[in-house]
Amino acid sequence: MNVPYINDTFNINELSTDQQKLLIEIRRRKAELLLEIQQLKDELSEVVSEMENMDSNDDSKNQTKAKQISIGRKKFNMDPKKGIEFLVEHGLLNHNEADVAAFLYKGEGLNKTAIGDYLGERNDFNERVLREFVSLHDFTDLILVQALRQFLWSFRLPGEAQKIDRMMECFAERYCQLNPNIFTNTDTCYVLSFAIIMLNTSLHNPSVKDKPSVEQFIQMNRGINNGGDLPRELLISLYDSIKTEPFKIPEDDGNDLMHTFFNPDKEGWLWKQGGRYKSWKRRWFILNDNCLYYFEYTTDKEPRGIIPLENIEVREVSDRHKPHCFELYAAPGTTDFIKACKTDSEGKVVEGKHTVYRMSAATAEEKDEWTKCLKQSISHNPFYDMLAARKKKAQKNSVHGRS
């Protein structure tokens, strides 16, 4: 079709009626297409913008999630129960024993002491978590020392006897389940495990002067296999393994003191009498976890001394130099010296030589409060009684199958 032009534009008047209608329709359709193209461009721009925002939000969400996980770990290291609650509340951990156990077993960024404290708590949920945690360890075809090395590397045993008892009982059950032909019952495995732990201490602790021989170790474990003896070759191999390579104690991530001194039973200034020269020095004391710690300043990160409150007694005393005095002393029939340690002038940790620790409070009320709190914290270490009972059970001369 020939279309006349005037100055490079249409002269619509020169078109026939049909041509004019066709042109108008083309222009209308063109306008619609341009509008649709613009709409598509706008929609595409919105989609691209949304995708960019989604990427940005994902990054932001990932950063927020990582930050919350980090906060949760720090909270756990200070207070394990609150740390788990925080992670559950923020959807970072499911509140079931399998997920919590896996979180503890992975242990990333977690304080090993805090893991031990949480696993040792006596309530139904924590006990189920403990069993799940132990079940994550594979002790198949490992000799007992190897299994103990693996187990004791994943957390630190807590100080309380009943917590230790539950944890080691779970360990013994798991070991016997995976290695059914070694011990006649789990009590035997339990007792031998502790014999190994004590052997490790005796062989590698510098303060223990008389190192046990392999014969003494064998004698120590007579009759613990339902009244019978364990194979001599087994006990020798366990002894040699510990003598050659001591247990490695897991290093914590620097939150030990923060964890230990978080929410103490009692803290405050007391005057402490020195051992050799009997001089009085003001020290900041913190009572927590059956231990009494003392510092030179409240801002110190490391204590000057640590007094474990095992087999210790406390009494009020009079002193002509200081008022409101009380003493810590070794319980009768235990030992002459109090088991304690302190840092010397060169910063080295040395064993204390005190037969008593004498302190002075500012007021009579403070003295009464300290003696009351100390008496509540003092422990006579019931674990050895529990171990003796378990050993007696393992020595019974009858086979009841696996317990």
Side-chain angles (χ1 to χ4, degrees), residues 190-191 382-395:
Y190 175 103
V191 172
F383 178 73
Y384 292 102
D385 294 334
M386 296 169 71
L387 182 58
R390 188 66 67 107
K391 190 170 185 178
K392 188 175 180 181
K393 186 178 173 186
Q395 288 173 329

Side-chain angles (χ1 to χ4, degrees), residues 71-83 111 114 117 255 258-263:
I71 291 170
R73 287 171 179 154
K74 288 177 181 176
K75 283 181 177 289
F76 178 88
N77 290 341
M78 290 192 293
D79 186 320
K81 184 180 177 183
K82 288 182 180 176
N111 179 291
D117 285 344
N255 290 315
M258 183 180 289
H259 172 70
T260 300
F261 306 134
F262 185 75
N263 193 26

Side-chain angles (χ1 to χ4, degrees), residues 44-299:
L44 183 61
S45 178
E46 285 180 17
V47 169
V48 170
S49 177
E50 284 178 12
M51 289 175 67
E52 288 174 349
N53 286 336
M54 284 173 65
D55 289 341
S56 176
N57 287 339
D58 285 345
D59 289 342
S60 177
K61 284 178 183 176
N62 288 337
Q63 288 174 0
T64 302
K65 182 179 178 181
K67 188 174 182 181
Q68 287 178 336
I69 290 173
S70 177
I71 291 170
R73 287 171 179 154
K74 288 177 181 176
K75 283 181 177 289
F76 178 88
N77 290 341
M78 290 192 293
D79 186 320
K81 184 180 177 183
K82 288 182 180 176
I84 296 295
E85 288 173 354
F86 176 88
L87 291 166
V88 170
E89 285 170 8
H90 288 80
L92 303 169
L93 190 65
N94 293 318
H95 192 256
N96 63 64
E97 51 267 33
D99 281 13
V100 174
F103 171 72
L104 300 181
Y105 182 75
K106 188 177 180 182
E108 189 177 331
L110 301 184
N111 179 291
K112 303 269 183 163
T113 304
I115 294 173
D117 285 344
Y118 186 84
L119 292 172
E121 283 299 320
R122 187 170 191 177
N123 64 61
D124 289 342
F125 183 75
N126 289 58
E127 289 183 10
R128 292 198 302 272
V129 171
L130 170 62
R131 292 194 174 277
E132 286 286 340
F133 178 85
V134 175
S135 73
L136 292 172
H137 291 77
D138 185 5
F139 304 134
T140 307
D141 296 329
L142 295 182
I143 66 168
L144 190 57
V145 170
Q146 292 171 327
L148 277 170
R149 288 190 199 281
Q150 183 190 133
F151 186 57
L152 298 176
W153 181 254
S154 60
F155 68 100
R156 280 191 181 178
L157 279 172
E160 294 178 41
Q162 295 190 350
K163 288 184 178 183
I164 296 173
D165 181 59
R166 285 194 296 276
M167 297 165 95
M168 294 304 294
E169 184 170 22
C170 282
F171 166 79
E173 288 174 359
R174 175 67 172 164
Y175 184 82
C176 290
Q177 174 194 359
L178 297 174
N179 302 279
N181 299 318
I182 296 178
F183 303 109
T184 57
N185 60 51
T186 56
D187 290 315
T188 301
C189 181
Y190 175 103
V191 172
L192 184 58
S193 296
F194 265 103
I196 292 168
I197 292 172
M198 288 188 273
L199 175 68
N200 180 78
T201 302
S202 300
L203 288 177
H204 299 288
N205 189 330
S207 64
V208 177
K209 304 304 178 188
D210 296 323
K211 306 298 184 186
S213 66
V214 66
E215 291 301 327
Q216 287 173 318
F217 180 67
I218 292 170
Q219 185 63 36
M220 173 183 166
N221 291 291
R222 291 277 184 213
I224 66 169
N225 197 25
N226 267 345
D229 293 342
L230 290 165
R232 181 181 175 86
E233 301 76 29
L234 171 66
L235 295 175
I236 291 172
S237 70
L238 296 175
Y239 180 93
D240 289 342
S241 177
I242 287 296
K243 187 175 182 180
T244 304
E245 184 185 355
F247 284 129
K248 290 179 181 176
I249 303 300
E251 294 294 331
D252 268 321
D253 57 5
N255 290 315
D256 268 344
L257 290 181
M258 183 180 289
H259 172 70
T260 300
F261 306 134
F262 185 75
N263 193 26
D265 298 329
K266 183 164 178 58
E267 59 184 333
W269 290 105
L270 291 170
W271 287 90
K272 173 184 163 294
Q273 189 180 58
R276 187 179 300 174
Y277 301 109
K278 304 298 181 187
S279 59
W280 289 90
K281 292 181 180 178
R282 192 167 180 257
R283 295 286 184 252
W284 179 257
F285 282 81
I286 290 180
L287 175 63
N288 201 38
D289 287 341
N290 302 105
C291 278
L292 186 62
Y293 304 83
Y294 59 90
F295 301 76
E296 190 167 357
Y297 306 104
T298 56
T299 52

